[in-house]
Amino acid sequence: MFARVSEADFCQQALYDELCEHNQASQSGAVVTFTGRVRDYNAEGAIDGIELEYYPGMTESALQQLLEQATARFKLTNAGILHRVGRLPNQAQIVWVGTCAAHRQDAFSGASYIMDMLKQSVPIWKKEWAGDTSTWVAAKGTDSEAAMRWLTDDKDK
């Protein structure tokens, strides 16, 4: 497993290769990856990018705990996450998540769980930029609802 925070952009293929190279079980029949990117809009209109801040040490630890939870819950044979911080322009890659499992449903569910829970359990804060003006982004109700479904429903979404 790997959990990282980085200001630098990432190569999806290199992360995929690392995930598969260090996979714990040769029987894994499924690998799922997700890459999140900066949108060029929000509910109010166009934006010019975002800025992500984090708490060094604590953020990496929270990401690692999230991977451990997902691994136990969905029988993952490996999982990884890389989350970028700093100022990011529109369309830049923000986050990469990868999961390996014996079966596709566990790999898909594990990746969904990680992304849904990330916004609720990992200390990363977002600002949106429009011109020279920035605005901190409050947690969305839909993000809380997505996380709560994992806490109240069956594990298989």
Side-chain angles (χ1 to χ4, degrees):
M1 278 191 288
F2 60 90
R4 297 187 194 115
V5 174
S6 176
E7 289 189 26
D9 198 5
F10 55 84
C11 172
Q12 295 178 42
Q13 185 65 52
L15 293 169
Y16 175 89
D17 291 345
E18 180 179 358
L19 182 74
C20 292
E21 178 182 341
H22 298 291
N23 193 11
Q24 297 299 314
S26 61
Q27 298 293 324
S28 290
V31 178
V32 169
T33 67
F34 169 81
T35 304
R37 298 181 352 148
V38 178
R39 290 186 301 265
D40 60 358
Y41 65 92
N42 64 18
E44 285 77 45
I47 64 169
D48 298 319
I50 64 172
E51 187 170 349
L52 298 166
E53 294 186 10
Y54 76 115
Y55 193 103
M58 182 183 285
T59 300
E60 293 89 344
S61 178
L63 289 171
Q64 184 67 34
Q65 288 176 343
L66 183 55
L67 292 180
E68 290 169 6
Q69 292 166 0
T71 296
R73 184 170 184 164
F74 300 103
K75 300 180 189 114
L76 302 178
T77 57
N78 202 8
I81 186 167
L82 186 144
H83 205 298
R84 291 185 64 198
V85 294
R87 185 113 181 229
L88 304 174
N90 293 339
Q91 305 309 314
Q93 299 179 124
I94 304 169
V95 62
W96 182 92
V97 169
T99 58
C100 298
H103 303 285
R104 71 176 183 265
Q105 190 57 56
D106 283 330
F108 275 113
S109 293
S112 292
Y113 174 85
I114 291 166
M115 283 307 305
D116 287 345
M117 298 302 288
L118 186 147
K119 292 186 177 189
Q120 300 301 306
S121 63
V122 177
I124 296 175
W125 301 276
K126 180 169 80 170
K127 244 189 253 191
E128 292 176 334
W129 286 88
D132 292 332
T133 304
S134 67
T135 306
W136 287 105
V137 177
K140 295 178 189 170
T142 54
D143 291 337
S144 295
E145 291 168 10
M148 287 306 296
R149 282 192 301 271
W150 290 107
L151 299 175
T152 58
D153 290 347
D154 293 337
K155 72 169 188 160
D156 300 316
K157 295 293 172 203

